[in-house]
Amino acid sequence: MNNEQKKILIRSVEQSCPWDKIPTSVEGLFIVKTPEVNGHQTVLIELNPSVMGQPLKKRGVYIKNTNEYEAIKEIINNPKVKELIEAINECYSKKIVRKIEI
């Protein structure tokens, strides 16, 4: 990120209200300003993928710092996560209800 982009980021955060989602050029990536606590401003990144411009979730995943990012990345990249999702989908996905002829 260059200096001009950083200035735009700072200006956008300063002009926004707490919990506003500031869109970025990356689809599904938002900047979120939180309320100040003891004069300290916190800004988060929200990951919330979308389909045709509509977010998939009401609330996405909030990331505060690089440690959180690395921990989430490690979990997501674990092949066991995909295995678990596939098993859950197989066992609990919506089943087709057969129409009963009367």
Side-chain angles (χ1 to χ4, degrees), residues 2-85:
N2 64 38
N3 285 336
E4 187 60 33
Q5 290 169 316
K6 288 179 185 178
K7 288 177 186 176
I8 292 169
L9 168 66
I10 291 167
R11 192 172 342 129
S12 297
V13 169
E14 287 175 353
Q15 292 174 352
S16 66
C17 296
W19 300 114
D20 278 353
K21 288 183 183 185
I22 303 166
T24 69
S25 59
V26 177
E27 186 70 29
L29 182 65
F30 301 90
I31 298 163
V32 180
K33 176 181 175 178
T34 62
E36 281 189 32
V37 176
N38 298 328
H40 181 70
Q41 181 64 65
T42 301
V43 176
L44 308 172
I45 290 175
E46 180 185 12
L47 304 176
N48 195 351
S50 61
V51 174
M52 296 190 302
Q54 295 299 315
L56 290 176
K57 310 289 260 167
K58 183 174 183 178
R59 233 182 269 151
V61 175
Y62 292 109
I63 300 174
K64 186 176 181 179
N65 55 46
T66 54
N67 291 337
E68 288 180 10
Y69 168 73
E70 292 298 330
I72 290 169
K73 187 169 74 169
E74 189 174 318
I75 292 168
I76 293 292
N77 288 330
N78 186 328
K80 295 288 185 182
V81 173
K82 185 175 181 186
E83 217 176 285
L84 178 60
I85 292 169

Side-chain angles (χ1 to χ4, degrees), residues 94-100:
K94 293 182 180 179
K95 298 195 182 334
I96 299 171
V97 178
R98 292 184 154 210
K99 188 176 183 180
I100 299 173

